[in-house]
Amino acid sequence: MQVAYFTRLRQIELRDEPPPAIAQPDHVLVRIGRLGVCGSDVHYYAEGGIGAQRVEFPATLGHECAGTVMEVGPAAARLKPGDRVAIDPAFTCGACDQCRTGRQNTCRNLRFMGSPGQAPGAAAELAAVPAANCLPVPDAVSLDLAVLAEPLSVGLYAVKLAEMFPAARIAILGSGPIGLSVLLCAKAAAPCTVYVSDLLEPRLELARRCGADYTVNAAETGAVSAILQREPLGLDRVFECSGDPACIDQAAELLAPGGTLMQVGIPPAPRVEFDPHPFRVQELSVRNVRRQKDCVAPVLGMLAEGRMDAAPLVTHHFPLDRIGDAFELVAGYRDGVVKAMVELA
Ligand SMILES: [Zn+2]
Ligand SMILES: [Zn+2]
């Protein structure tokens, strides 16, 4: 089977390898059909890491994936060959203090697909994974949308953690796949007013299609005050989904006293600077969102019921032998790309 490897910065190579074996009784073998290119993958590709987590070349890659079950281990009878599944890429131990208290997203022994030194990446024609991580995909949900269940689950988890209430007024800073996922999930969860900012016009356009009530281009001066003109008392929640440290100060300006900044984006630099005083004086909270937990299956259900339309997020498709082009496109924010999909089967 073909497996994609990062071989050095901005270089992806396909290698031929024997297919993986089902090493544990509760594992299954999945033929990966689609792989989504995620912003975190692109940090590894273009910068060689995220914070202290560095890639050691060569390394496998990718984590947003869906496919078809080919073989099941003896303790994985819940699934059968031919089942279409979305894969939750976070393999947890189930035994540590975090797992035992329902915090499996911060599992002490968590292995994430395609993260340096953790579980093998999903950019391979076949993957052997725990059956517990394979969520059945309803017939009404395409494989593309099943892949999107991963970023959408991060959006749904962020919205749940934010304890949104009816008529909440929120802003989403950054209208990439994660920002748009928060938008779709917020709108599906409760009636709310959503402001979206981004630097790229096509992404703002997409935000409007996905239900944003008002969008601003953050590159223009006065983007924050344009929102505050409409919401003079400030906002209840701000979801930081860009990773741009400047957004932390913007969030402080936008929030009403007592409001909450939901930090979802990944800052590229090891340290960030922001003004702590508005956080102190206005008693603002900061809530970090670490990936997701228990939200992939609910998202698949919401997609099947048509409670949100995530299809517009998929902007590009590439065959496996052009996976490098997919990464270049996403790294360069070119051609209005939001989610690029690699077709493996
Ligand atoms: Zn992702
Ligand atoms: Zn654990």
Side-chain angles (χ1 to χ4, degrees):
M1 66 162 182
Q2 301 235 282
V3 181
Y5 278 87
F6 289 136
T7 49
R8 53 186 162 87
L9 273 192
R10 297 190 102 100
Q11 186 80 45
I12 299 178
E13 209 175 279
L14 292 180
R15 296 183 176 177
D16 238 321
E17 286 187 1
I22 295 183
Q24 301 205 38
D26 60 346
H27 282 204
V28 299
L29 190 67
V30 178
R31 178 171 291 286
I32 305 293
R34 288 277 195 291
L35 174 87
V37 179
C38 176
S40 61
D41 301 327
V42 171
H43 282 297
Y44 297 136
Y45 170 77
E47 291 139 37
I50 300 172
Q53 211 165 37
R54 309 311 297 177
V55 177
E56 273 186 46
F57 301 110
T60 58
L61 59 117
H63 63 273
E64 296 180 358
C65 61
T68 307
V69 174
M70 303 302 285
E71 244 180 272
V72 301
R78 189 174 62 80
L79 294 167
K80 58 180 190 313
D83 285 350
R84 294 190 315 144
V85 291
I87 298 178
D88 173 351
F91 306 160
T92 56
C93 77
C96 72
D97 61 327
Q98 299 295 297
C99 284
R100 279 189 280 109
T101 51
R103 297 193 46 90
Q104 57 273 28
N105 55 327
T106 51
C107 167
R108 308 253 181 195
N109 309 303
L110 191 140
R111 295 166 64 242
F112 200 79
M113 292 180 92
S115 273
Q118 299 183 23
E125 288 177 298
L126 292 162
V129 297
N133 288 69
C134 295
L135 291 306
V137 176
D139 288 342
V141 176
S142 69
L143 222 46
D144 274 356
L145 289 182
V147 171
L148 282 186
E150 200 269 342
L152 286 167
S153 71
V154 176
L156 183 61
Y157 180 58
V159 167
K160 282 187 171 174
L161 274 193
E163 295 172 354
M164 299 261 293
F165 42 84
R169 299 150 308 154
I170 71 173
I172 298 169
L173 310 181
S175 185
I178 293 294
L180 293 167
S181 293
V182 171
L183 168 61
L184 287 168
C185 293
K187 283 285 180 182
C192 52
T193 304
V194 185
Y195 298 84
V196 177
S197 79
D198 199 275
L199 298 167
L200 302 171
E201 241 359 280
R203 291 192 165 189
L204 294 173
E205 157 86 52
L206 198 50
R208 291 190 290 272
R209 274 175 70 193
C210 291
D213 296 281
Y214 186 75
T215 61
V216 291
N217 192 321
E220 284 160 20
T221 47
V224 167
S225 44
I227 296 176
L228 288 176
Q229 243 163 41
R230 284 170 172 74
E231 297 289 350
L233 294 179
L235 302 175
D236 304 305
R237 303 284 183 270
V238 172
F239 293 80
E240 200 302 294
C241 298
S242 72
D244 181 350
C247 287
I248 301 174
D249 287 325
Q250 287 173 19
E253 264 186 82
L254 286 167
L255 283 165
T260 303
L261 163 62
M262 304 299 297
Q263 182 63 41
V264 194
I266 303 172
R271 282 180 178 274
V272 298
E273 219 174 71
F274 64 93
D275 178 0
H277 298 294
F279 286 90
R280 180 177 65 78
V281 173
Q282 299 180 61
E283 210 173 52
L284 305 177
S285 302
V286 181
R287 186 93 213 238
N288 282 282
V289 181
R290 180 55 169 162
R291 295 185 183 135
Q292 64 87 28
K293 66 174 186 206
D294 296 331
C295 284
V296 179
V299 158
L300 287 166
M302 288 162 79
L303 290 167
E305 291 161 14
R307 287 177 56 202
M308 57 186 170
D309 180 13
L313 272 61
V314 181
T315 52
H316 293 76
H317 284 93
F318 290 86
L320 179 57
D321 60 4
R322 288 186 57 213
I323 185 170
D325 295 340
F327 271 72
E328 269 307 304
L329 182 80
V330 178
Y333 297 91
R334 283 188 284 109
D335 196 25
V337 65
V338 175
K339 184 57 72 183
M341 292 284 177
V342 178
E343 295 179 359
L344 289 104

Short mmCIF file of all heavy atoms in Angstrom, two decimals, residues 43 47 173-174 197 199 218 224 238-254 261-276 278-279 286 288 333:
data_model
loop_
_atom_site.label_atom_id
_atom_site.label_comp_id
_atom_site.label_asym_id
_atom_site.label_seq_id
_atom_site.Cartn_x
_atom_site.Cartn_y
_atom_site.Cartn_z
N HIS A 43 1.12 23.05 9.74
CA HIS A 43 2.20 23.53 10.63
C HIS A 43 3.38 22.55 10.59
O HIS A 43 4.54 22.96 10.54
CB HIS A 43 1.72 23.65 12.09
CG HIS A 43 0.88 24.87 12.35
ND1 HIS A 43 1.38 26.15 12.23
CD2 HIS A 43 -0.40 25.01 12.74
CE1 HIS A 43 0.43 27.02 12.55
NE2 HIS A 43 -0.67 26.35 12.85
N GLU A 47 6.40 24.29 8.86
CA GLU A 47 7.26 24.82 9.93
C GLU A 47 7.98 23.71 10.71
O GLU A 47 8.78 24.00 11.59
CB GLU A 47 6.41 25.65 10.91
CG GLU A 47 5.89 26.95 10.30
CD GLU A 47 4.44 27.24 10.71
OE1 GLU A 47 4.07 26.95 11.85
OE2 GLU A 47 3.68 27.74 9.85
N LEU A 173 -13.29 34.63 15.57
CA LEU A 173 -12.15 35.29 14.94
C LEU A 173 -11.37 34.23 14.17
O LEU A 173 -10.77 33.34 14.77
CB LEU A 173 -11.27 35.97 16.00
CG LEU A 173 -12.03 36.87 16.99
CD1 LEU A 173 -11.07 37.52 17.99
CD2 LEU A 173 -12.83 37.94 16.27
N GLY A 174 -11.42 34.32 12.85
CA GLY A 174 -10.80 33.29 12.01
C GLY A 174 -11.87 32.42 11.40
O GLY A 174 -12.60 31.72 12.09
N SER A 197 -14.84 37.33 11.81
CA SER A 197 -13.77 38.11 11.17
C SER A 197 -12.74 37.19 10.57
O SER A 197 -12.54 36.06 11.04
CB SER A 197 -13.11 39.05 12.18
OG SER A 197 -12.18 38.34 12.97
N LEU A 199 -9.08 37.53 7.54
CA LEU A 199 -8.30 38.39 6.66
C LEU A 199 -8.65 38.15 5.19
O LEU A 199 -8.31 38.95 4.33
CB LEU A 199 -6.80 38.14 6.86
CG LEU A 199 -6.26 38.42 8.26
CD1 LEU A 199 -4.85 37.84 8.43
CD2 LEU A 199 -6.23 39.93 8.53
N ALA A 218 -10.68 41.61 9.01
CA ALA A 218 -9.80 42.04 10.11
C ALA A 218 -8.60 42.82 9.59
O ALA A 218 -7.90 43.46 10.38
CB ALA A 218 -9.35 40.83 10.92
N VAL A 224 -12.92 45.82 14.60
CA VAL A 224 -13.48 45.58 15.93
C VAL A 224 -14.55 46.61 16.25
O VAL A 224 -15.65 46.28 16.73
CB VAL A 224 -12.35 45.59 17.00
CG1 VAL A 224 -12.94 45.67 18.40
CG2 VAL A 224 -11.48 44.34 16.86
N VAL A 238 -16.30 35.04 22.72
CA VAL A 238 -15.47 35.17 21.52
C VAL A 238 -14.71 33.87 21.34
O VAL A 238 -14.05 33.39 22.28
CB VAL A 238 -14.48 36.35 21.62
CG1 VAL A 238 -13.52 36.34 20.45
CG2 VAL A 238 -15.23 37.69 21.66
N PHE A 239 -14.83 33.28 20.17
CA PHE A 239 -14.10 32.05 19.83
C PHE A 239 -12.89 32.45 18.99
O PHE A 239 -13.04 32.92 17.87
CB PHE A 239 -14.99 31.09 19.03
CG PHE A 239 -16.14 30.53 19.81
CD1 PHE A 239 -17.30 31.29 20.00
CD2 PHE A 239 -16.09 29.25 20.34
CE1 PHE A 239 -18.38 30.79 20.71
CE2 PHE A 239 -17.17 28.74 21.07
CZ PHE A 239 -18.31 29.51 21.25
N GLU A 240 -11.69 32.27 19.55
CA GLU A 240 -10.47 32.59 18.82
C GLU A 240 -10.09 31.35 18.00
O GLU A 240 -9.70 30.34 18.58
CB GLU A 240 -9.37 32.99 19.80
CG GLU A 240 -8.24 33.78 19.18
CD GLU A 240 -7.54 33.06 18.05
OE1 GLU A 240 -6.89 32.03 18.31
OE2 GLU A 240 -7.67 33.50 16.89
N CYS A 241 -10.22 31.44 16.69
CA CYS A 241 -10.02 30.26 15.84
C CYS A 241 -8.94 30.50 14.80
O CYS A 241 -8.85 29.75 13.82
CB CYS A 241 -11.32 29.88 15.15
SG CYS A 241 -12.63 29.41 16.30
N SER A 242 -8.14 31.55 14.97
CA SER A 242 -7.14 31.86 13.94
C SER A 242 -5.74 31.49 14.38
O SER A 242 -4.87 31.26 13.55
CB SER A 242 -7.17 33.35 13.61
OG SER A 242 -6.61 34.08 14.69
N GLY A 243 -5.49 31.48 15.69
CA GLY A 243 -4.13 31.29 16.18
C GLY A 243 -3.32 32.57 16.18
O GLY A 243 -2.20 32.61 16.67
N ASP A 244 -3.87 33.65 15.63
CA ASP A 244 -3.15 34.93 15.58
C ASP A 244 -3.20 35.58 16.97
O ASP A 244 -4.28 35.91 17.46
CB ASP A 244 -3.81 35.83 14.53
CG ASP A 244 -3.11 37.16 14.39
OD1 ASP A 244 -2.23 37.48 15.24
OD2 ASP A 244 -3.42 37.90 13.43
N PRO A 245 -2.03 35.77 17.61
CA PRO A 245 -2.03 36.32 18.98
C PRO A 245 -2.71 37.69 19.07
O PRO A 245 -3.24 38.04 20.13
CB PRO A 245 -0.54 36.44 19.32
CG PRO A 245 0.16 35.51 18.38
CD PRO A 245 -0.68 35.46 17.13
N ALA A 246 -2.74 38.45 17.99
CA ALA A 246 -3.40 39.77 18.01
C ALA A 246 -4.89 39.62 18.35
O ALA A 246 -5.52 40.56 18.85
CB ALA A 246 -3.24 40.46 16.65
N CYS A 247 -5.43 38.45 18.09
CA CYS A 247 -6.86 38.23 18.34
C CYS A 247 -7.18 38.21 19.83
O CYS A 247 -8.34 38.40 20.22
CB CYS A 247 -7.32 36.92 17.70
SG CYS A 247 -7.45 37.04 15.91
N ILE A 248 -6.18 37.96 20.68
CA ILE A 248 -6.46 37.92 22.13
C ILE A 248 -6.84 39.32 22.60
O ILE A 248 -7.82 39.50 23.33
CB ILE A 248 -5.24 37.36 22.90
CG1 ILE A 248 -4.93 35.94 22.40
CG2 ILE A 248 -5.52 37.35 24.41
CD1 ILE A 248 -3.67 35.34 22.98
N ASP A 249 -6.09 40.34 22.14
CA ASP A 249 -6.45 41.72 22.50
C ASP A 249 -7.79 42.12 21.87
O ASP A 249 -8.59 42.80 22.50
CB ASP A 249 -5.34 42.69 22.03
CG ASP A 249 -4.09 42.57 22.91
OD1 ASP A 249 -4.23 42.33 24.12
OD2 ASP A 249 -2.98 42.70 22.36
N GLN A 250 -8.01 41.66 20.63
CA GLN A 250 -9.31 41.97 19.98
C GLN A 250 -10.46 41.37 20.77
O GLN A 250 -11.51 42.00 20.95
CB GLN A 250 -9.34 41.41 18.55
CG GLN A 250 -8.48 42.19 17.58
CD GLN A 250 -8.40 41.51 16.22
OE1 GLN A 250 -9.23 40.67 15.88
NE2 GLN A 250 -7.40 41.87 15.44
N ALA A 251 -10.26 40.13 21.26
CA ALA A 251 -11.31 39.48 22.03
C ALA A 251 -11.62 40.28 23.28
O ALA A 251 -12.78 40.47 23.64
CB ALA A 251 -10.87 38.06 22.40
N ALA A 252 -10.56 40.79 23.94
CA ALA A 252 -10.76 41.58 25.16
C ALA A 252 -11.58 42.83 24.87
O ALA A 252 -12.43 43.24 25.66
CB ALA A 252 -9.41 41.95 25.77
N GLU A 253 -11.33 43.43 23.70
CA GLU A 253 -12.10 44.63 23.32
C GLU A 253 -13.56 44.28 23.05
O GLU A 253 -14.46 45.07 23.34
CB GLU A 253 -11.52 45.20 22.02
CG GLU A 253 -10.52 46.31 22.19
CD GLU A 253 -10.13 46.88 20.83
OE1 GLU A 253 -10.87 47.71 20.29
OE2 GLU A 253 -9.07 46.44 20.29
N LEU A 254 -13.77 43.11 22.47
CA LEU A 254 -15.12 42.75 22.02
C LEU A 254 -16.01 42.24 23.15
O LEU A 254 -17.23 42.39 23.09
CB LEU A 254 -15.04 41.66 20.95
CG LEU A 254 -14.57 42.09 19.56
CD1 LEU A 254 -14.25 40.87 18.70
CD2 LEU A 254 -15.65 42.95 18.87
N LEU A 261 -13.48 34.24 26.61
CA LEU A 261 -12.72 33.95 25.39
C LEU A 261 -12.50 32.45 25.31
O LEU A 261 -11.94 31.85 26.23
CB LEU A 261 -11.37 34.68 25.45
CG LEU A 261 -10.27 34.19 24.49
CD1 LEU A 261 -10.68 34.36 23.04
CD2 LEU A 261 -8.96 34.94 24.75
N MET A 262 -12.97 31.84 24.23
CA MET A 262 -12.75 30.42 23.98
C MET A 262 -11.54 30.32 23.05
O MET A 262 -11.60 30.75 21.89
CB MET A 262 -13.97 29.79 23.30
CG MET A 262 -15.28 29.97 24.05
SD MET A 262 -15.29 29.22 25.70
CE MET A 262 -15.07 27.50 25.31
N GLN A 263 -10.42 29.81 23.57
CA GLN A 263 -9.20 29.74 22.77
C GLN A 263 -9.15 28.39 22.05
O GLN A 263 -8.91 27.36 22.66
CB GLN A 263 -7.97 29.93 23.67
CG GLN A 263 -6.64 29.92 22.91
CD GLN A 263 -6.52 31.06 21.90
OE1 GLN A 263 -6.92 32.20 22.17
NE2 GLN A 263 -6.00 30.77 20.72
N VAL A 264 -9.40 28.42 20.74
CA VAL A 264 -9.42 27.19 19.95
C VAL A 264 -8.22 27.15 19.00
O VAL A 264 -7.65 26.10 18.75
CB VAL A 264 -10.74 27.06 19.14
CG1 VAL A 264 -10.91 25.65 18.60
CG2 VAL A 264 -11.96 27.45 19.98
N GLY A 265 -7.84 28.31 18.48
CA GLY A 265 -6.75 28.39 17.50
C GLY A 265 -5.41 28.04 18.12
O GLY A 265 -5.24 28.08 19.34
N ILE A 266 -4.47 27.66 17.27
CA ILE A 266 -3.12 27.27 17.72
C ILE A 266 -2.15 28.39 17.37
O ILE A 266 -1.85 28.61 16.21
CB ILE A 266 -2.67 25.97 17.02
CG1 ILE A 266 -3.67 24.84 17.28
CG2 ILE A 266 -1.27 25.57 17.48
CD1 ILE A 266 -3.41 23.58 16.47
N PRO A 267 -1.64 29.12 18.39
CA PRO A 267 -0.67 30.18 18.07
C PRO A 267 0.62 29.55 17.55
O PRO A 267 1.10 28.57 18.14
CB PRO A 267 -0.43 30.87 19.41
CG PRO A 267 -1.41 30.28 20.38
CD PRO A 267 -1.86 28.97 19.82
N PRO A 268 1.17 30.06 16.45
CA PRO A 268 2.37 29.44 15.89
C PRO A 268 3.61 29.67 16.73
O PRO A 268 4.51 28.85 16.75
CB PRO A 268 2.50 30.12 14.51
CG PRO A 268 1.68 31.35 14.59
CD PRO A 268 0.66 31.18 15.66
N ALA A 269 3.66 30.78 17.49
CA ALA A 269 4.88 31.11 18.25
C ALA A 269 4.83 30.45 19.62
O ALA A 269 3.77 30.17 20.16
CB ALA A 269 4.98 32.62 18.41
N PRO A 270 6.02 30.18 20.22
CA PRO A 270 6.05 29.54 21.54
C PRO A 270 5.53 30.44 22.66
O PRO A 270 5.11 29.97 23.71
CB PRO A 270 7.52 29.18 21.75
CG PRO A 270 8.29 30.01 20.80
CD PRO A 270 7.38 30.37 19.66
N ARG A 271 5.59 31.77 22.48
CA ARG A 271 5.08 32.69 23.50
C ARG A 271 4.23 33.75 22.85
O ARG A 271 4.51 34.17 21.73
CB ARG A 271 6.24 33.39 24.21
CG ARG A 271 6.89 32.50 25.21
CD ARG A 271 8.04 33.17 25.94
NE ARG A 271 8.56 32.22 26.91
CZ ARG A 271 8.05 32.10 28.14
NH1 ARG A 271 7.09 32.90 28.55
NH2 ARG A 271 8.53 31.19 28.96
N VAL A 272 3.20 34.21 23.55
CA VAL A 272 2.38 35.30 23.03
C VAL A 272 2.28 36.39 24.07
O VAL A 272 2.43 36.15 25.27
CB VAL A 272 0.96 34.83 22.63
CG1 VAL A 272 1.01 33.80 21.53
CG2 VAL A 272 0.21 34.27 23.83
N GLU A 273 2.01 37.60 23.61
CA GLU A 273 1.92 38.76 24.48
C GLU A 273 0.53 39.36 24.32
O GLU A 273 0.04 39.46 23.19
CB GLU A 273 2.96 39.78 23.99
CG GLU A 273 3.66 40.51 25.09
CD GLU A 273 4.77 41.38 24.51
OE1 GLU A 273 4.44 42.38 23.86
OE2 GLU A 273 5.95 41.02 24.71
N PHE A 274 -0.08 39.69 25.41
CA PHE A 274 -1.36 40.41 25.33
C PHE A 274 -1.52 41.27 26.57
O PHE A 274 -0.81 41.10 27.56
CB PHE A 274 -2.53 39.42 25.17
CG PHE A 274 -2.72 38.51 26.35
CD1 PHE A 274 -3.60 38.84 27.39
CD2 PHE A 274 -2.02 37.32 26.44
CE1 PHE A 274 -3.77 37.99 28.48
CE2 PHE A 274 -2.17 36.47 27.54
CZ PHE A 274 -3.05 36.81 28.55
N ASP A 275 -2.46 42.22 26.49
CA ASP A 275 -2.71 43.13 27.60
C ASP A 275 -3.59 42.43 28.63
O ASP A 275 -4.75 42.12 28.34
CB ASP A 275 -3.39 44.40 27.04
CG ASP A 275 -3.73 45.39 28.13
OD1 ASP A 275 -3.45 45.11 29.32
OD2 ASP A 275 -4.29 46.45 27.79
N PRO A 276 -3.07 42.16 29.83
CA PRO A 276 -3.88 41.41 30.80
C PRO A 276 -4.96 42.26 31.47
O PRO A 276 -5.88 41.72 32.09
CB PRO A 276 -2.84 40.96 31.83
CG PRO A 276 -1.80 42.02 31.78
CD PRO A 276 -1.74 42.50 30.35
N PRO A 278 -7.59 44.35 30.62
CA PRO A 278 -9.04 44.20 30.38
C PRO A 278 -9.56 42.87 30.92
O PRO A 278 -10.69 42.81 31.41
CB PRO A 278 -9.17 44.24 28.85
CG PRO A 278 -7.85 44.60 28.30
CD PRO A 278 -6.82 44.54 29.38
N PHE A 279 -8.73 41.83 30.89
CA PHE A 279 -9.15 40.53 31.42
C PHE A 279 -9.40 40.63 32.92
O PHE A 279 -10.33 40.06 33.47
CB PHE A 279 -8.09 39.46 31.11
CG PHE A 279 -8.09 39.04 29.66
CD1 PHE A 279 -7.31 39.70 28.72
CD2 PHE A 279 -8.90 37.99 29.22
CE1 PHE A 279 -7.33 39.32 27.39
CE2 PHE A 279 -8.93 37.61 27.90
CZ PHE A 279 -8.14 38.28 26.97
N VAL A 286 -10.89 32.98 30.29
CA VAL A 286 -10.29 32.35 29.11
C VAL A 286 -10.46 30.85 29.26
O VAL A 286 -10.12 30.29 30.30
CB VAL A 286 -8.79 32.67 28.98
CG1 VAL A 286 -8.21 32.02 27.72
CG2 VAL A 286 -8.56 34.17 28.96
N ASN A 288 -9.54 27.32 27.40
CA ASN A 288 -8.85 26.64 26.31
C ASN A 288 -9.64 25.41 25.88
O ASN A 288 -10.26 24.74 26.71
CB ASN A 288 -7.45 26.23 26.74
CG ASN A 288 -6.51 27.41 26.73
OD1 ASN A 288 -6.04 27.83 25.67
ND2 ASN A 288 -6.25 28.00 27.89
N TYR A 333 -2.81 29.37 1.46
CA TYR A 333 -4.16 29.97 1.49
C TYR A 333 -4.60 30.38 0.09
O TYR A 333 -5.26 31.38 -0.10
CB TYR A 333 -4.21 31.20 2.40
CG TYR A 333 -3.91 30.90 3.85
CD1 TYR A 333 -2.61 30.98 4.34
CD2 TYR A 333 -4.93 30.55 4.72
CE1 TYR A 333 -2.33 30.71 5.67
CE2 TYR A 333 -4.66 30.28 6.06
CZ TYR A 333 -3.36 30.37 6.52
OH TYR A 333 -3.10 30.12 7.84
#
